[in-house]
Amino acid sequence: MMVVGIIAVCVVIAALAFLVPRLSRHPQNGAQRTLGLGSRAGSKAPGPLGRLFSKPFRSSSRAVGRSGSAGRRARGRLPF
């Protein structure tokens, strides 16, 4: 269920970054901040469990950032 939610967020951020690049920064930062909270909460677990619990949030935050930058990059490559 979480995977589907992250994919939906990435698609929305990428579309928003393509259509209105300047206005896409705030939602992207908000999504990354929320995922960062999950990562920090997961890393409080002891030992290797902390790395295991925080990894999905870290990689999801990175995916949101990449989709936003990809949308802005694609918009910049348009011929008009």
Side-chain angles (χ1 to χ4, degrees):
M1 188 68 176
M2 186 176 158
V3 173
V4 174
I6 296 299
I7 290 172
V9 168
C10 286
V11 168
V12 168
I13 294 290
L16 191 62
F18 184 77
L19 297 175
V20 279
R22 287 187 187 201
L23 296 178
S24 68
R25 294 268 184 196
H26 191 69
Q28 177 185 344
N29 289 340
Q32 286 183 310
R33 191 175 304 126
T34 303
L35 291 166
L37 284 173
S39 176
R40 282 193 300 277
S43 69
K44 304 258 186 202
L49 281 178
R51 287 188 299 275
L52 183 70
F53 289 159
S54 70
K55 184 176 179 178
F57 294 102
R58 251 192 339 258
S59 60
S60 298
S61 175
R62 194 170 55 217
V64 168
R66 283 183 183 176
S67 67
S69 67
R72 283 187 288 276
R73 199 173 338 118
R75 171 68 181 244
R77 290 182 182 161
L78 285 178
F80 46 87

